[in-house]
Amino acid sequence: MAAVTVATLGVDLAAEPVGTAVVRLDWDDAQPRATVLPRRMSDAQLVEAIAGIGIAKVGIDCPFGWPAGFVDAVSAHAAGRTWPGGEGPAARRILRLRLTDREVAARFKEPLSVSSTYIGATAMRCASILNAWRSRDPKHDRVGTGRLIEVYPALAMRHWHLDMPGYKNGDNWAKARKDILNAVGHTVDVEEVREAVLQSKTYGDDVIDALVAALVAASAMTPGGVEPPPASDTDERRIAEIEGWIAVPSLPLHEVDPRPASP
């Protein structure tokens, strides 16, 4: 493998700069290395980080859009038309969950609803960042074919056997995080993020999620590394382009490597 400088970024986005964590992975030597970027980044600073030198792919832990049915229902309600959502849990599920959320729920667990939980506030910030990025990259889309991809760290952690119970705020959070870092350490040098992960109970889990997001971004650059979005020219693809699409890893962690192979 040639020593080629490729960098991926992981963003654990919060509704405000406080609680937002960003991790950069540099894949430029025998063992890639992870570093934590400064805390409390503003929207403008995040856009600059995304545009950083060497950054090839960015995983953002936040929905890229809202359920199409929810958008239609709210628009109808605002215009004084009949609410189209119907009655009962099944009807409301279409308003709560995007197509990609329903796909993930069938295999893992139901992600937070962007239309009916607190994650909606974070998605508003994400939408602003995506709009700012689009001014730099008009080809940006919400299905992950450009620089930005939507990620779901909990799903990726289960796939890579990193889902240590209690790493966020359990009684044994420090041990759980050490176990995660030790497991990731077989693929990436994590020593520069270790202090941030273990020193703060309330911020360290955000750094873990950002690290995993950066790994998913790297997986998306590895041939066969993530499951593809719906095929072009399908109804599912058109919906995903509106709602966003979660990148789901499909390779073992030790096979993730976004660097081009030696000629």
Side-chain angles (χ1 to χ4, degrees), residues 73 82-96:
T82 301
W83 178 259
E87 297 182 4
R92 286 193 292 272
R93 192 169 190 266
I94 301 299
L95 307 185
R96 292 191 307 104

Side-chain angles (χ1 to χ4, degrees), residues 2-10 23-37 49 52-57 187-190 192-193 211 214-215 218 221 256-259:
V4 176
T5 299
V6 176
T8 61
L9 208 66
V23 169
R24 175 177 173 131
L25 295 183
D26 285 287
W27 303 76
D28 57 2
D29 50 26
Q31 187 177 32
R33 66 185 184 280
T35 54
V36 184
L37 272 61
I53 295 173
I55 300 295
K57 205 78 169 178
T187 302
V188 175
D189 181 348
V190 296
E192 291 188 40
V193 306
L211 172 62
L215 287 168
M221 293 184 63
V256 172
D257 194 332
R259 296 169 292 189

Side-chain angles (χ1 to χ4, degrees), residues 8 19-20 50 75 80 86 93 128 133 145 174 185 187 197 208-210 240 251:
T8 61
T20 296
I50 291 169
S75 297
R93 192 169 190 266
S128 177
W133 179 249
T145 60
T187 302
V197 167
I208 288 281
D209 287 348
L251 287 176

Side-chain angles (χ1 to χ4, degrees), residues 130 234-235:
L130 297 183
T234 63
D235 290 341

Side-chain angles (χ1 to χ4, degrees), residues 130-141 146-148:
L130 297 183
N131 286 340
W133 179 249
R134 188 176 293 106
S135 68
R136 300 190 183 210
D137 179 13
K139 294 183 179 180
H140 161 74
D141 61 40
R147 182 174 296 194
L148 310 185

Side-chain angles (χ1 to χ4, degrees), residues 11-12 60-62 108 150-160 162-163 167-168 208-210 212-213 216 246-247:
V11 181
D12 181 54
I60 301 179
D61 178 15
C62 184
F108 178 47
E150 179 183 336
V151 303
Y152 184 16
L155 176 61
M157 292 174 79
R158 189 189 71 159
H159 175 75
W160 287 326
L162 303 174
D163 50 340
Y167 82 95
K168 287 188 177 290
I208 288 281
D209 287 348
V212 173
V216 178
I246 296 169

Side-chain angles (χ1 to χ4, degrees), residues 163-192:
D163 50 340
M164 309 299 178
Y167 82 95
K168 287 188 177 290
N169 52 23
D171 292 338
N172 296 316
W173 62 270
K175 181 184 184 304
R177 293 179 193 177
K178 287 178 183 178
D179 290 344
I180 293 170
L181 290 176
N182 290 339
V184 174
H186 293 295
T187 302
V188 175
D189 181 348
V190 296
E191 289 310 306
E192 291 188 40

